[in-house]
Amino acid sequence: MADGRMADGRPRTPRTALHPAAWWLWALGLGTAATRTTNPLLLGLLLTVSAYVVTTCRPDTPWSRSYSAFLKLALAVLVIRLVFVVALGSPIPGTQVLVTLPEVPLPDWAQGIRLGGAVTAEGLLFALYDGLKLATLLVCVGAANALASPSRLLKTLPGALYETGVAVVVALTFAPNLIADVHRLRAARRLRGRPDTGLRGLLQVGLPVLEGALERSVALAAAMDARGYGRTADVPAPVRRTTAALTLGGLLGVCAGTYGLLTAAGGSYGLPVLFAGVLAALAGLRLGGRRSPRTRYRPDRWTPRACLTAASGAAVAALLTVAASSDPAALHPGVVPLTAPALPLWPAAAVLLGLLPAFLHKEPS
Amino acid sequence: MIRFENVSVTYDGAAGPTVRDVDLTVPEGELVLLAGPSGVGKSTLLGTVSGLVPHFTGGTLRGRVTVAGRDTRTHKPRELADVVGTVGQDPLSHFVTDTVEEELAYGMESLGLPPAVMRRRVEETLDLLGLAALRDRPIATLSGGQQQRVAIGSVLTPHPRVLVLDEPTSALDPAAAEEVLAVLLRLVHDLGTTVLLAEHRLERVLQYADQVALLPSPGAAPLLGAPADIMAVSPVFPPVVSLGRLAGWSPLPLTVRDARRRAADLRERLTEADHADSGDRADHTGPGDRADHADHADRADHTGPTDRRDRTDHTNPADRADPETSVDPEDPADPADHANPKDPADRADDVDRSLPPAPAPPRPRFSPFRRRPRPSAPSAPSALTTAVAPVATAAPTTPVAAVEARALSVRRARVQALREVDLTVRAGETVALMGRNGAGKSTLLNTFVGLVEPSAGTVRVGGLVPHRTPPRELVRRAGLVPQEPRDLLYADTVAAECAAADRDAGAAPGTCRALVSDLLPGITDDTHPRDLSEGQRLTLALAVVLTARPPLLLLDEPTRGLDYAAKARLVAVLRGLAAAGHAIVLATHDVELAAELAHRVVLLAEGEVIADGPTAEVVVSSPSFAPQVTKILAPQKWLTVAQVREALRREALR
């Protein structure tokens, strides 16, 4: 284990792992790129890139198994999109009729809605492209989840938000525990001789599950309290007042700035006020951190690898955005008339940039 | 180090104080064991040290508790975090982070220690507790013993001067318990940490304690003293002390080694006693048989699992006798006896006698003789009798197996939980499944009730395939009391729970309530199941399961959190059920329980059966699974103090 890898060659968490924010930036970059195109070849390439990086870099934690769940969800989205097109028809005018379903006659007030009827190849293809875009976005979020769990991301919050962060982390672990409880109690229903499936069964275990979850939360709160959670340091009164003023003022500034940006009249002052508000709020948070005596054990660092990982994701997003405006035809292949999508060369090369983390992660053996 | 001065704690809404007038001083650097029966306030007393009682739990604390000079009245738990480390009963509810290393650092982060110090202490603690190989592992993937060590490590890193532990070994297998105790001992010896711990399984910890604080009964003042002195008067004591008291040794031995050195003459006496009755005992294997035999020599053959020739085959309704004959006409069924729970040994005999090897009456499902509703008044004939008598399934010559597994394999989430397991349990037989945490014991039990589908091999429970049988049908064949009996209980009163159990099982109204009154006298209808003690809750769940009269009864870790008295009551009840023809399978870490109850012990390791044989043979050959009496009297094969007492009594009569 000296090289920090599991027996099967996967890296162990979290010491060799990158800063979680780097992974999230990379994945969101890929996701943004996916929203810029409907070209199935490019989307497929994006999917392959993210899948390759996930399989080479994901740590061996329970969280990392969520990737397959996201894949299934994406597939479900795609299928639902296609089923809707088949059943409800498509606004795309098509000529290549694949099959004609019996059409259900609808009353006048339901004008514009169609049930059944002709299913065209163009309509199906358009739905496929569109669904694939959404599915790719979902898979990218899944990749971020698998590579760095949201709870690790929350740990990088500034000191003043630490306690809120812990509350969110605890809430996040609450859900998997709740599911485990439901399974256990449904099993127990079977032991009592009641059917363990069906909605009724689920409803009847609801109360005991909530009771159990509540009890566990209280036990956890007691344990955290006994381990020093929420200890505060004494802060001089002026600092406290300044913190309050900065935070409140900052939030007001953010509100006013946003309002200014959205209304036509406030175009001139909107941006500066928003900017000042954000600055003041950040300063307030930083000062507020003094109240908490906490220190960090081996915090995640922004290593060069982390920066490169985040940058590669951002580059993919930026390059595809540029490509989408300069060459819209290649990134959005037409469906009327039916044409085979071509792989635009330089956007494809841009997508391949997203593979960088997989090579960065390979450690010298 | 810890001083209790006239401490009384009263919870809100409670009638009286949970602990009263506690005046104790725990000196620095000692390991003090807090002992006492269930419900005397051990956990409450431990809670006052960390300040969780009353700051977190509510209630009123009178008197004063000081830890390292800090008064818990003025210091909240978080302000005591640097001097007191607390580990509760369930390590899983203690963890805040996901991985071992982060968990070890969490407490130090809260206290704001410098990063360099944190790093050094985490490494030291990883080595001290033998966790270095697990440092990056997610906590959820660790075994019970490893989790318990991580929990202890996580409170050690801030270098507390006091460590408070509530039942640190009760959920662990014998080897893991040794592991945890070795760590505690090392802390006391090397770091001078003061340790205060409560534990029901005294046989595991007594030998390590410098002093014992005994809470003899609720509200009584505690006694603090040397372990041997306290054990001489304690209502709770491990088998080694029990044997010492029986043999009249003074001072009492606390360890197996002490006892062995004194046991030479006892072994001699027992050899003579053994020779004297070896003639009429040859055919008995189970420890239950041995004990029974002495009392009722005339009916000893009824308890042997293979000897039940007088029972009818339940599959043939025409052969069945009238249901009323299931109540033995000679049944003493003395209501006074049943209402009196004080002596578990008496109860055991009583239950035994009241459970005749009667012909099997019909099951309500197939029978024209539907059982009449029974009054639940305590004066009725023992409900236990009516519930357990009708399960006999033995055919005249070849006993039908209550459960039969052939080459059973289970794979779950890429883990081979069970591998080619062969196991047959016959009616009337009690089998103990043992093995370390995660060996597959619970999986095997779950397979028997159809919660887990085998990936290969076959299981038959009373001839049915469990996972393909509808639950309503299956509860009449096999009943499982899960590790957490609370999972079985949904209702908010005992009466409602019983009514639901009758409906679920298709039993006559009142069946379950009668069972509860029988197994658990003195529980009123309107009690909330949550307000019952651990042992009472287990018994209620057992009654719920028994309402369907399953011939196969499965129990998963039944003695977790039970004190000796509750355990003795459970043993008595289960013996009665086995004698009435129930097949019983227990998954347990409690070697003493297995020694008391089981005819056979099956050892599992990594999902495989590694030993299967009579209790005496299997446990005697294993250093970690041998009960204390066996270790003391080896090479003779004695399992329990009751057997020894019986042998001595008979020798004295002669």
Side-chain angles (χ1 to χ4, degrees):
Chain A
M1 295 285 161
D3 62 346
R5 282 177 171 255
M6 303 295 285
D8 60 356
R10 280 200 259 152
R12 294 193 300 167
T13 50
R15 289 305 145 230
T16 56
L18 292 180
H19 197 288
W23 280 127
W24 279 83
L25 284 175
W26 169 82
L28 292 180
L30 255 56
T32 314
T35 60
R36 297 293 111 199
T37 174
T38 54
N39 187 327
L41 297 175
L42 277 180
L43 289 173
L45 197 61
L46 274 170
L47 280 176
T48 320
V49 164
S50 72
Y52 181 74
V53 173
V54 166
T55 44
T56 43
C57 299
R58 81 169 150 183
D60 188 32
T61 59
W63 272 105
S64 64
R65 285 178 216 130
S66 64
Y67 189 61
S68 58
F70 273 92
L71 280 182
K72 281 179 204 155
L73 183 66
L75 195 67
V77 164
L78 199 61
V79 169
I80 290 172
R81 184 80 177 82
L82 289 177
V83 166
F84 265 71
V85 167
V86 170
L88 297 176
S90 160
I92 303 295
T95 50
Q96 309 276 330
V97 176
L98 293 177
V99 62
T100 308
L101 297 176
E103 190 167 344
V104 182
L106 288 175
D108 285 345
W109 50 263
Q111 228 172 13
I113 301 177
R114 202 186 60 165
L115 269 182
V119 178
T120 63
E122 289 90 343
L124 266 187
L125 204 60
F126 181 79
L128 182 73
Y129 289 176
D130 210 41
L132 199 60
K133 185 164 89 173
L134 198 56
T136 311
L137 188 60
L138 271 174
V139 170
C140 286
V141 174
N145 250 300
L147 290 164
S149 76
S151 58
R152 273 185 62 212
L153 186 65
L154 283 166
K155 275 180 206 143
T156 59
L157 285 176
L161 291 179
Y162 165 78
E163 277 160 29
T164 327
V166 169
V168 175
V169 168
V170 168
L172 280 177
T173 55
F174 187 82
N177 283 335
L178 210 62
I179 292 170
D181 274 2
V182 171
H183 278 298
R184 218 184 61 233
L185 282 163
R186 290 183 92 168
R189 277 180 61 79
R190 193 179 159 86
L191 299 179
R192 290 279 303 248
R194 305 179 192 179
D196 56 348
T197 49
L199 192 64
R200 231 174 96 85
L202 194 64
L203 288 179
Q204 280 189 353
V205 298
L207 197 64
V209 164
L210 283 182
E211 253 176 37
L214 207 63
E215 266 169 40
R216 202 178 17 238
S217 305
V218 170
L220 179 63
M224 284 167 68
D225 200 10
R227 290 170 69 188
Y229 173 78
R231 278 165 81 107
T232 48
D234 277 331
V235 178
V239 177
R240 264 206 317 268
R241 271 181 229 123
T242 321
T243 310
L246 277 174
T247 316
L248 266 181
L251 286 179
L252 276 177
V254 170
C255 290
T258 317
Y259 177 80
L261 275 184
L262 293 178
T263 51
S268 53
Y269 69 86
L271 207 59
V273 170
L274 180 67
F275 194 65
V278 167
L279 268 187
L282 283 179
L285 277 182
R286 192 161 176 81
L287 258 187
R290 284 209 200 163
R291 240 176 89 73
S292 158
R294 288 187 60 86
T295 45
R296 286 280 162 74
Y297 174 74
R298 300 178 82 181
D300 289 308
R301 287 182 204 293
W302 278 99
T303 54
R305 280 197 308 160
C307 295
L308 277 175
T309 301
S312 73
V316 175
L319 288 174
L320 277 205
T321 310
V322 172
S325 55
S326 69
D327 186 10
L331 267 67
H332 297 277
V335 288
V336 187
L338 278 179
T339 45
L343 185 68
L345 262 191
W346 74 263
V351 169
L352 286 179
L353 271 183
L355 279 177
L356 192 64
F359 296 103
L360 287 174
H361 211 82
K362 289 231 168 76
E363 283 167 49
S365 53
Chain B
M1 181 49 74
I2 312 172
R3 283 190 62 184
F4 300 91
E5 291 168 65
N6 282 317
V7 172
S8 303
V9 178
T10 312
Y11 287 116
D12 296 335
T18 307
V19 290
R20 183 183 297 169
D21 301 331
V22 175
D23 236 335
L24 264 187
T25 304
V26 176
E28 181 161 6
E30 289 207 349
L31 194 157
V32 175
L33 169 65
L34 189 57
S38 290
V40 291
K42 295 192 293 296
S43 296
T44 301
L45 206 56
L46 293 184
T48 59
V49 178
S50 61
L52 287 173
V53 176
H55 289 293
F56 198 87
T57 56
T60 316
L61 182 128
R62 288 206 179 70
R64 182 210 294 263
V65 183
T66 45
V67 185
R70 289 189 210 172
D71 190 333
T72 61
R73 279 184 304 185
T74 51
H75 291 76
K76 287 189 180 147
R78 66 190 73 152
E79 287 148 13
L80 291 164
D82 51 334
V83 288
V84 183
T86 309
V87 181
Q89 290 186 4
D90 179 14
L92 268 182
S93 65
H94 172 95
F95 297 130
V96 186
T97 64
D98 315 322
T99 66
V100 172
E101 200 174 344
E102 284 169 20
E103 190 63 35
L104 293 185
Y106 180 81
M108 294 188 290
E109 287 183 325
S110 299
L111 299 178
L113 296 181
V117 175
M118 287 201 275
R119 186 67 204 272
R120 202 183 65 231
R121 287 197 190 166
V122 166
E123 299 296 333
E124 283 166 4
T125 310
L126 285 172
D127 284 341
L128 183 69
L129 301 190
L131 293 169
L134 309 172
R135 62 187 305 160
D136 291 337
R137 284 269 296 276
I139 290 172
T141 64
L142 301 181
S143 75
Q146 291 168 335
Q147 282 177 353
Q148 190 66 262
R149 277 188 293 154
V150 173
I152 292 174
S154 71
V155 297
L156 271 186
T157 45
H159 284 192
R161 296 167 67 191
V162 176
L163 208 53
V164 176
L165 303 129
D166 199 352
E167 300 211 29
T169 73
S170 68
L172 303 182
D173 61 66
E178 289 293 327
E179 203 173 83
V180 166
L181 289 167
V183 163
L184 290 181
L185 210 60
R186 196 158 167 208
L187 293 176
V188 173
H189 283 222
D190 295 357
L191 302 179
T193 312
T194 309
V195 176
L196 179 62
L197 72 98
E199 179 63 65
H200 277 311
R201 300 210 178 155
L202 296 178
E203 63 269 21
R204 288 180 170 177
V205 291
L206 191 60
Q207 49 190 316
Y208 303 117
D210 295 311
Q211 291 199 74
V212 175
L214 173 73
L215 288 166
S217 59
L223 298 167
L224 183 72
D229 301 341
I230 296 290
M231 279 303 123
V233 296
S234 167
V236 289
F237 44 82
V240 60
V241 170
S242 178
L243 193 70
R245 284 187 182 181
L246 179 68
W249 294 326
S250 177
L252 282 170
L254 300 175
T255 64
V256 168
R257 184 159 178 265
D258 282 355
R260 266 197 78 82
R261 289 158 73 187
R262 303 234 200 107
D265 64 321
L266 180 64
R267 276 197 291 267
E268 211 162 284
R269 276 167 73 196
L270 287 170
T271 317
E272 286 162 21
D274 212 28
H275 278 307
D277 30 89
S278 57
D280 47 40
R281 201 170 56 194
D283 56 331
H284 296 297
T285 49
D289 292 350
R290 270 196 181 188
D292 272 353
H293 174 76
D295 267 349
H296 326 285
D298 54 327
R299 50 172 293 269
D301 59 329
H302 294 324
T303 50
T306 52
D307 266 352
R308 215 168 292 98
R309 289 162 206 284
D310 49 352
R311 307 217 167 167
T312 49
D313 188 342
H314 76 285
T315 54
N316 181 356
D319 275 358
R320 291 195 189 114
D322 184 278
E324 288 312 305
T325 59
S326 67
V327 179
D328 189 333
E330 286 158 33
D331 182 358
D334 182 353
D337 253 355
H338 285 291
N340 178 5
K342 73 177 193 312
D343 188 338
D346 274 354
R347 266 185 71 75
D349 284 350
D350 184 39
V351 172
D352 254 4
R353 249 178 278 122
S354 68
L355 301 166
R363 285 156 194 286
R365 193 178 153 76
F366 306 115
S367 162
F369 309 110
R370 205 164 251 285
R371 184 172 303 281
R372 279 181 313 215
R374 287 192 167 279
S376 58
S379 62
S382 162
L384 192 55
T385 320
T386 60
V388 298
V391 299
T393 54
T397 45
T398 49
V400 171
V403 61
E404 192 173 16
R406 289 264 161 274
L408 176 68
S409 296
V410 173
R411 261 184 95 77
R412 278 206 298 196
R414 285 181 282 172
V415 177
Q416 187 84 34
L418 291 176
R419 221 180 290 247
E420 307 264 309
V421 171
D422 287 308
L423 181 67
T424 305
V425 183
R426 286 183 301 265
E429 202 178 14
T430 303
V431 174
L433 284 179
M434 304 188 80
R436 60 177 87 86
N437 294 75
K441 302 184 295 293
S442 298
T443 309
L444 188 57
L445 293 189
N446 286 340
T447 318
F448 291 167
V449 288
L451 292 178
V452 175
E453 194 175 329
S455 48
T458 55
V459 198
R460 293 280 180 281
V461 171
L464 298 174
V465 181
H467 64 272
R468 299 222 184 91
T469 309
R472 283 189 78 80
E473 179 62 28
L474 194 69
V475 288
R476 297 203 180 83
R477 306 298 170 105
L480 169 68
V481 179
Q483 213 166 70
E484 184 53 77
R486 208 166 15 169
D487 290 354
L488 273 191
L489 310 173
Y490 306 114
D492 42 10
T493 63
V494 169
E497 202 62 73
C498 286
D502 289 339
R503 274 198 308 279
D504 290 339
T511 310
C512 178
R513 177 64 228 195
L515 274 166
V516 172
S517 319
D518 211 58
L519 300 175
L520 204 66
I523 294 295
T524 52
D525 272 348
D526 53 357
T527 315
H528 195 295
R530 200 179 26 215
D531 295 337
L532 299 175
S533 76
E534 203 81 40
Q536 289 173 327
R537 207 154 41 215
L538 175 79
T539 319
L540 178 59
L542 184 63
V544 164
V545 165
L546 285 177
T547 306
R549 284 175 281 168
L552 174 66
L553 181 63
L554 311 163
L555 297 108
D556 199 350
E557 285 298 335
T559 56
R560 194 173 169 180
L562 298 197
D563 62 5
Y564 289 102
K567 222 157 91 175
R569 286 169 51 85
L570 180 73
V571 166
V573 167
L574 293 182
R575 271 206 192 129
L577 293 170
H582 282 266
I584 300 177
V585 183
L586 318 144
T588 184
H589 292 314
D590 189 334
V591 292
E592 307 295 339
L593 178 81
E596 292 257 352
L597 266 181
H599 301 106
R600 245 167 80 202
V601 169
V602 174
L603 286 186
L604 288 177
E606 300 189 309
E608 285 173 272
V609 173
I610 55 164
D612 180 356
T615 307
E617 283 173 26
V618 175
V619 299
V620 165
S621 60
S622 156
S624 47
F625 290 111
Q628 286 193 315
V629 173
T630 310
K631 288 180 183 165
I632 295 166
L633 297 175
Q636 294 178 21
K637 293 183 177 178
W638 297 93
L639 292 173
T640 63
V641 179
Q643 288 172 13
V644 175
R645 181 182 295 123
E646 205 44 56
L648 292 179
R649 195 177 65 100
R650 284 149 56 79
E651 192 220 0
L653 285 179
R654 197 172 289 119

